[in-house]
Amino acid sequence: MCRVKMWLKVFSMTLLALCTGVNASNLDRYEGYNKYTVFHDNEDAFNYLVDLQTESAELDFWLLTRNMSVVAVSPTEQPIFEARLNTLNAQYVAKPLMEEMSAFNETFTTDCLGSECELNRPRRQARGFFSHFPRYSEILNFMSALAARHPQYCRYESLGRSFEGRHIAALSISLNSRVRDRRVAYIQAATHGREWITPLTVLYLANELLNNLRAFQRVLQDVEVFLVPLVNPDGYEYSFTKDRFWRKNRHRYPGRSCAGVDINRNFPNNWNYNGASQNLCSEVYSGTGPTSESETAAIARYLEYNRNRIKLSLDVHSFGKFLFYPYGYSKNVVAPTRNLLHSVAQRAANQIAKYRGTQYSVGTSAGILYEASGGLDDYAYGNLGIPMSFTVELPGENFQVATSDIIHICKETFAGFVEFIRHVSLY
Ligand code: 0X9
Ligand code: ZN
């Protein structure tokens, strides 16, 4: 009896890990952690949190906006953190992180266990890829299979390799690859390892475009869509196997216990100026210099080589439901084409809302969130002159999205992507 129970437990844990990617080992280190949702309508509290984000290696900011933040805090830091919030008059709600994550386990257990699970299987396969969080190799297989199925319209390539040697894989989609100077719509995702929903939205875009080429003939006329769904494959894999909330790449330095560079602080625009840190243990460590990381260098090489053709750059992150345009490094600097950027992003937000009413906020990340330099958006716009450059923060309360919600996020985001791409041919 006992053995049966044990077997059932192992079986259900394996299923859980397969379907949600949440497993004991990638959450181990979060025992006793709290997730704090902090409400701060005063400038002092906001500035305190901004300083903590760059200076403290102990706190992990999941979201930091002008009036609300979400922070993961270790048990030892909790008393100090709470005392400081109290003196700053900031309200907060604390919830054990494990409890937060177990909500997702439940989604799965009730969704698919026992006989129901078996019954669901064929349907799951038919619904396919967009009902779970795929690993690196599964993503690459999906991409190469798409290219193999549509050889005339889709090319699968590698832009280079990550620190640990994984491919930074890309898909180029176009109707007429013989036209050499097609305008390019560039879209990338998963710069931050833990943002699991992001590559799925980009792969969904690839899949939809290729399966409905005729319907998108006008949008794709003379436009090449270039997709890099997994900019940070090492960080992404590490968030499955070791640490669910890993953000940076996996650069290791001899003799140092901390690892990783924040790729979105490593681009050569005002590098390490604001919202970035030179402390290797920080979540926003900017690296030893601009483009010091192989992942950043691979992206920058592609963008620089194609800079005259690229009219749109989209960097997909999670979470918060925001559409950001440059500049993100300083709230005192206004992009010369700010009105155009704002109206294109607003149109995309309106298209997204049509699916199920999801409301995005549009603005600069320096205005809505915090000032942070070395991001792809500022580099694409400011250094390369790419006229439309945006960062998308997808919906979520957390980096874990319920598996049943994946398809809806993919569908609504798809409407926004198409709207952005539509503007490429207007340039
Ligand atoms: O801080 C970031 O890198 C992005 N937010 S996230 O929570 N996904 O980490 C926002 C980047 C916005 N762009 C710039 N600051 N340039
Ligand atoms: Zn991110």
Side-chain angles (χ1 to χ4, degrees):
M1 187 63 185
C2 200
R3 286 207 7 209
V4 171
K5 258 191 180 165
M6 216 169 72
W7 186 86
L8 271 176
K9 191 165 179 208
V10 171
F11 176 69
S12 62
M13 292 291 281
T14 312
L15 274 177
L16 176 72
L18 277 175
C19 293
T20 64
V22 174
N23 59 51
S25 64
N26 72 359
L27 282 173
D28 269 358
R29 64 181 292 261
Y30 294 99
E31 199 61 67
Y33 271 63
N34 272 347
K35 174 194 170 192
Y36 286 84
T37 306
V38 187
F39 304 94
H40 40 87
D41 46 17
N42 66 75
E43 195 75 6
D44 283 352
F46 174 69
N47 290 336
Y48 166 70
L49 293 171
V50 169
D51 288 348
L52 273 185
Q53 187 192 33
T54 22
E55 276 151 31
S56 165
E58 312 299 322
L59 306 186
D60 186 3
F61 283 81
W62 290 4
L63 181 68
L64 173 53
T65 75
R66 302 221 142 238
N67 48 24
M68 196 271 272
S69 300
V70 181
V71 198
V73 184
S74 68
T76 48
E77 293 295 315
Q78 285 164 17
I80 315 161
F81 185 63
E82 288 185 11
R84 193 74 185 108
L85 292 180
N86 289 333
T87 58
L88 286 163
N89 245 329
Q91 306 294 307
Y92 61 85
V93 179
K95 184 180 178 189
L97 198 54
M98 290 306 201
E99 212 175 276
E100 167 96 3
M101 295 313 282
S102 69
F104 294 96
N105 302 359
E106 267 151 38
T107 310
F108 170 76
T109 2
T110 49
D111 229 21
C112 170
L113 247 194
S115 58
E116 198 195 331
C117 190
E118 281 308 307
L119 284 175
N120 266 340
R121 257 196 129 155
R123 230 180 61 214
R124 258 180 67 85
Q125 272 162 3
R127 267 189 296 150
F129 196 69
F130 300 97
S131 54
H132 72 299
F133 296 102
R135 298 286 290 269
Y136 163 78
S137 55
E138 208 183 331
I139 289 179
L140 263 57
N141 286 343
F142 185 82
M143 292 170 76
S144 67
L146 267 184
R149 217 176 310 136
H150 305 275
Q152 238 192 308
Y153 306 109
C154 183
R155 198 179 68 245
Y156 171 61
E157 60 181 83
S158 172
L159 293 186
R161 286 181 188 268
S162 64
F163 180 81
E164 290 177 344
R166 294 187 177 88
H167 280 293
I168 298 170
L171 283 179
S172 157
I173 298 172
S174 76
L175 282 177
N176 194 348
S177 47
R178 273 187 295 253
V179 178
R180 281 192 64 81
D181 53 358
R182 285 155 297 156
R183 293 146 201 262
V184 176
Y186 173 79
I187 307 180
Q188 69 167 42
T191 298
H192 294 139
R194 62 196 180 185
E195 297 170 10
W196 289 359
I197 183 63
T198 65
L200 286 164
T201 60
V202 176
L203 294 167
Y204 186 83
L205 170 70
N207 196 47
E208 281 299 293
L209 290 180
L210 287 166
N211 288 335
N212 302 286
L213 279 170
R214 284 171 76 90
F216 296 108
Q217 211 160 4
R218 263 178 71 146
V219 181
L220 292 177
Q221 204 59 52
D222 299 330
V223 174
E224 174 185 354
V225 177
F226 196 88
L227 307 173
V228 184
L230 211 48
V231 168
N232 177 11
D234 301 347
Y236 184 76
E237 277 297 289
Y238 195 75
S239 71
F240 278 85
T241 56
K242 295 275 163 38
D243 180 346
R244 175 61 192 90
F245 300 111
W246 189 259
R247 169 183 169 94
K248 302 186 283 179
N249 74 358
R250 286 297 302 157
H251 196 144
R252 253 99 72 224
Y253 300 85
R256 303 293 302 270
S257 59
C258 290
V261 172
D262 184 347
I263 299 170
N264 213 29
R265 298 291 180 278
N266 192 238
F267 284 95
N269 184 288
N270 294 284
W271 179 79
N272 201 47
Y273 174 62
N274 267 335
S277 169
Q278 274 297 284
N279 175 357
L280 166 57
C281 300
S282 164
E283 291 290 352
V284 289
Y285 174 54
S286 50
T288 50
T291 335
S292 58
E293 302 314 293
S294 52
E295 297 85 357
T296 323
I299 303 293
R301 208 180 315 120
Y302 166 80
L303 294 177
E304 271 173 34
Y305 187 77
N306 294 287
R307 63 189 289 179
N308 295 326
R309 296 201 297 129
I310 305 174
K311 304 299 172 195
L312 169 74
S313 166
L314 284 184
D315 190 12
V316 188
H317 288 251
S318 83
F319 55 92
K321 289 183 276 174
F322 300 114
L323 285 176
F324 297 133
Y325 49 82
Y327 283 101
Y329 77 92
S330 166
K331 61 179 185 322
N332 304 319
V333 183
V334 179
T337 59
R338 183 251 169 223
N339 290 351
L340 170 101
L341 293 167
H342 190 92
S343 78
V344 172
Q346 192 56 60
R347 279 166 186 273
N350 295 345
Q351 290 307 318
I352 295 172
K354 281 187 183 164
Y355 177 71
R356 55 169 180 174
T358 303
Q359 296 294 328
Y360 273 71
S361 305
V362 175
T364 68
S365 59
I368 295 176
L369 302 182
Y370 40 81
E371 299 176 312
S373 54
L376 172 81
D377 46 10
D378 287 359
Y379 164 69
Y381 182 81
N383 299 50
L384 304 180
I386 294 169
M388 291 181 290
S389 173
F390 304 92
T391 295
V392 184
E393 297 278 358
L394 295 175
E397 309 277 301
N398 189 323
F399 300 108
Q400 191 76 30
V401 165
T403 48
S404 57
D405 211 23
I406 295 175
I407 190 68
H408 301 298
I409 295 181
C410 287
K411 284 186 174 176
E412 66 184 9
T413 313
F414 175 74
F417 285 160
V418 170
E419 183 61 22
F420 276 120
I421 298 169
R422 228 172 50 76
H423 283 80
V424 171
S425 48
L426 305 176
Y427 258 88

